Amino acid sequence: MEKQVRVRFAPSPTGALHIGGVRTALYNYLFAKKMGGIMILRIEDTDQTRFVAGAEKYIQESLEWCGIKLDESPWNGGQHAPYRQSERKPMYMAYALRLVEEGNAYYAFDTPEELEEMRTRLEAAKVVSPQYNAITRTQMKNSLTLPEDEVKRRLASGEPYVIRLKVPRKEEVRLQDMIRGWIMVHSSAIDDKVLMKSDGMPTYHLANVVDDHLMEITHVIRGDEWLPSAPLHVLLYKYFGWEDTMPQFAHLPVLLKPTGEGKLSKRDGDKFGFSVFPLQYHDPENPQNSSSGFREDGYTKEAFINFLAFLGWNPGQGSQKEMFSMEELIEAFSIERIGKAGIKFDINKAKWYNQQYLKLKSTTELTEFLFIDLKANHLVCEQSKAEKITDLLKERIVFPTDLYKEGIYFFKTPTTYDPEIVKSRWNDEVKTALNGIKEALSLESEITAASVKELIHSVLEKLGIKMGKVMQGVRLAITGVGAGADLMETMAILGKTEVLKRIELSLKVLG
Ligand code: GLU
């Protein structure tokens, strides 16, 4: 029987979860569900210096908003609980000691000053990347260089120490990445990474590998910033004797700045005016880290997920389909269809998706958004009128708040007029047309879009004025701006009295 697929998303609670992290979570989830497998969330909080209170809650809320459901996590438990590495702390030391006993790791007692001294010495000798490795370790204070009884004495006296991996000097480390293919690294390029820190906490590398093994992870799907760590992890699997059950690796392509140069960062979001976080984030300790989120910016979760899914994956040649629900994504997903190349972040694509998903919502649902803004602005509007406005504007909006923004002139009689349009469109012909329309309108009882269209046509025909020449001026008089939804429909919603009032006002104000 095939082994059940078990994947994990393993964020560190060091701040707001970046959009790239959400994509990693999403791809893990899609793969797990596609394969009938299990999706796990593990909190990797072994680096206490980078811990940020509230970050874990933020991760939880973000995934909930996205609809990424976890089978095992710190919040809903599971067969391998606990799922926070800080709570798993007692179990890591035994693994590190096992490596020491078997000669694959060693104690190192070097002080920060001694390490600094080594770096300076190597830099002076023009060593390209000065590191603690198979060569330099021979000159340092560790259990490979110190006499055994001294090592014992130092350990017994409680002297601070770390445990380092003893990386072989000459060995080829190979791994097959599901996205990148075969990767080969020479062990001389890997340094003797610290596995256990002097505070008794494991480092990311040890905890990550031990936990992936204990949690029976079958596939490690993560950002490609972890690719350089993968050979080291492969060595750890080998030394632990877990090669048979080593997970398969898939390193996801990097998300690039909108310009395509370099990795997408929070600063790019600030610069180009979009968020790189799923939810609004407030960092009480460092307010400058606070940021808005896709949710608060008005993106629907369906649009956000659909947009994210396509940042690195596609359904394959021949498929024109762009709109995918979560269920459809699960159905269509495969790791083979994830590309290697970095993906340029294009916020316009996210907007496009949002527009499409808003269009799919019912008028009643969308009208609720309009009422939120009306209420906030202390404006009242009848339900039926609000629905008509929503219906009219539906095709034009990218965000729910656009209903109010675009439709503001339905609720407030314009008192100012777009100066650009006044300059280019306000002229005697428009004024003549407006006077004619005003006269004809006052004879009507009520108007519909069709009747007002007919009315304007016949007025202009009588006056010998071409419709195309004056309509933008007429729109200006009624809405204060030069563009918007269908003008006849707009006038019908406003009603005869309001339209007359606005025509008169514009003639008075603009002269
Ligand atoms: N804790 C790592 C992170 O913050 C996890 C990397 C991995 O998935 O192995 O991204």
Side-chain angles (χ1 to χ4, degrees):
M1 208 178 83
E2 280 274 312
K3 224 165 69 176
Q4 183 177 43
V5 163
R6 291 176 58 85
V7 298
R8 85 310 190 262
F9 176 51
S12 297
T14 54
L17 180 62
H18 186 274
I19 190 166
V22 189
R23 185 194 60 172
T24 301
L26 175 66
Y27 284 11
N28 272 284
Y29 176 71
L30 296 177
F31 180 66
K33 296 300 121 184
K34 166 90 188 198
M35 305 304 284
I38 297 292
M39 168 77 177
I40 298 162
L41 184 131
R42 182 174 71 227
I43 292 286
E44 299 208 325
D45 55 353
T46 56
D47 190 349
Q48 298 287 310
T49 57
R50 294 179 62 222
F51 181 82
V52 173
E56 185 182 309
K57 189 100 206 106
Y58 181 90
I59 293 167
Q60 185 180 8
E61 277 180 26
S62 301
L63 299 187
E64 270 169 16
W65 178 59
C66 294
I68 296 175
K69 298 188 197 88
L70 305 167
D71 298 303
E72 299 174 24
S73 75
W75 317 301
N76 49 15
Q79 53 172 327
H80 295 290
Y83 290 90
R84 268 181 213 100
Q85 288 184 328
S86 56
E87 292 168 18
R88 302 170 68 80
K89 182 180 170 189
M91 66 176 83
Y92 300 111
M93 187 51 123
Y95 289 96
L97 292 179
R98 191 169 128 195
L99 293 177
V100 175
E101 270 156 36
E102 290 167 3
N104 292 315
Y106 58 91
Y107 298 106
F109 301 96
D110 315 278
T111 61
E113 294 73 34
E114 286 164 339
L115 289 171
E116 190 49 43
E117 200 183 291
M118 169 187 92
R119 226 165 285 134
T120 318
R121 198 163 13 96
L122 294 175
E123 268 160 18
K126 301 263 180 300
V127 173
V128 189
S129 55
Q131 49 188 15
Y132 210 116
N133 60 19
I135 299 172
T136 54
R137 70 165 86 107
T138 58
Q139 290 144 28
M140 304 301 287
K141 287 204 179 69
N142 51 52
S143 55
L144 303 174
T145 58
L146 297 171
E148 208 181 316
D149 53 347
E150 189 179 340
V151 172
K152 280 204 183 112
R153 185 189 56 73
R154 283 181 184 244
L155 291 175
S157 71
E159 201 174 299
Y161 67 88
V162 299
I163 296 179
R164 286 181 182 271
L165 183 67
K166 193 176 158 202
V167 177
R169 186 160 172 206
K170 286 184 189 161
E171 198 174 302
E172 271 171 3
V173 188
R174 293 160 172 269
L175 72 118
Q176 195 180 20
D177 186 274
M178 293 174 80
I179 298 172
R180 285 154 202 275
W182 278 103
I183 292 167
M184 211 179 65
V185 178
H186 199 272
S187 66
S188 60
I190 309 172
D191 60 335
D192 286 1
K193 282 271 178 321
V194 172
L195 301 176
M196 285 302 284
K197 294 181 279 188
S198 54
D199 63 1
M201 270 289 196
T203 56
Y204 154 72
H205 303 291
L206 179 71
N208 187 271
V209 167
V210 167
D211 284 344
D212 280 350
H213 172 72
L214 295 178
M215 294 181 179
E216 302 171 81
I217 300 301
T218 55
H219 298 77
V220 166
I221 305 168
R222 61 185 172 192
D224 78 348
E225 67 270 30
W226 301 105
L227 190 59
S229 301
L232 180 86
H233 297 176
V234 169
L235 277 181
L236 280 169
Y237 281 103
K238 181 175 154 192
Y239 294 151
F240 281 126
W242 300 335
E243 274 173 309
D244 289 355
T245 54
M246 184 170 84
Q248 279 185 269
F249 291 100
H251 289 90
L252 305 175
V254 66
L255 295 184
L256 301 171
K257 294 176 189 301
T259 54
E261 289 145 16
K263 232 174 122 170
L264 178 74
S265 72
K266 175 176 182 303
R267 239 173 304 134
D268 300 312
D270 297 341
K271 188 167 139 199
F272 296 104
F274 57 80
S275 176
V276 295
F277 301 114
L279 313 181
Q280 192 171 49
Y281 180 68
H282 178 63
D283 185 341
E285 278 162 40
N286 296 304
Q288 76 276 10
N289 287 345
S290 299
S291 172
S292 84
F294 273 78
R295 182 178 66 182
E296 289 72 19
D297 287 350
Y299 288 91
T300 63
K301 64 177 175 199
E302 293 84 0
F304 181 60
I305 288 299
N306 207 150
F307 166 65
L308 271 191
F310 273 74
L311 286 180
W313 170 86
N314 68 71
Q317 267 132 22
S319 170
Q320 302 294 322
K321 188 171 155 75
E322 288 194 277
M323 304 276 287
F324 282 80
S325 67
M326 189 69 105
E327 286 66 39
E328 289 170 321
L329 284 172
I330 292 170
E331 179 62 34
F333 193 76
S334 76
I335 295 184
E336 289 70 39
R337 296 232 50 87
I338 299 174
K340 287 195 203 46
I343 318 293
K344 233 195 271 181
F345 188 86
D346 178 10
I347 196 68
N348 290 323
K349 197 70 208 189
K351 288 183 183 167
W352 180 83
Y353 272 119
N354 214 40
Q355 201 168 13
Q356 306 311 311
Y357 278 100
L358 285 181
K359 272 190 212 165
L360 294 178
K361 287 198 185 289
S362 73
T363 303
T364 320
E365 250 179 301
L366 285 176
T367 309
E368 278 169 33
F369 292 123
L370 177 58
F371 274 115
I372 294 173
D373 290 325
L374 286 174
K375 215 166 145 202
N377 287 284
H378 312 290
L379 290 165
V380 282
C381 180
E382 270 171 40
Q383 178 75 27
S384 65
K385 183 173 169 189
E387 287 195 7
K388 277 188 205 153
I389 295 170
T390 304
D391 249 344
L392 186 60
L393 299 176
K394 208 171 164 173
E395 294 291 315
R396 307 175 58 84
I397 58 166
V398 174
F399 299 112
T401 47
D402 290 344
L403 283 172
Y404 179 71
K405 283 188 204 144
E406 285 258 342
I408 183 82
Y409 51 72
F410 280 107
F411 311 105
K412 292 181 177 171
T413 303
T415 49
T416 56
Y417 301 87
D418 183 338
E420 289 286 307
I421 310 293
V422 174
K423 213 166 117 198
S424 62
R425 298 286 160 169
W426 191 258
N427 52 36
D428 287 344
E429 220 172 11
V430 169
K431 282 188 253 179
T432 311
L434 281 172
N435 275 312
I437 295 169
K438 190 178 86 174
E439 249 168 63
L441 251 188
S442 54
L443 303 174
E444 296 288 308
S445 52
E446 203 31 276
I447 48 169
T448 63
S451 77
V452 79
K453 187 172 181 180
E454 169 100 39
L455 180 144
I456 293 179
H457 261 292
S458 74
V459 168
L460 295 184
E461 202 172 320
K462 262 187 231 144
L463 293 170
I465 295 174
K466 284 225 175 63
M467 190 137 178
K469 281 180 80 185
V470 293
M471 278 323 275
Q472 212 181 1
V474 175
R475 179 187 287 282
L476 179 78
I478 290 163
T479 65
V481 288
D486 184 275
L487 186 59
M488 307 306 162
E489 297 283 358
T490 302
M491 288 199 274
I493 294 173
L494 287 170
K496 175 195 133 176
T497 317
E498 180 66 18
V499 172
L500 273 179
K501 187 174 124 192
R502 291 185 181 198
I503 293 179
E504 277 162 19
L505 188 68
S506 69
L507 289 168
K508 205 164 101 196
V509 174
L510 296 173

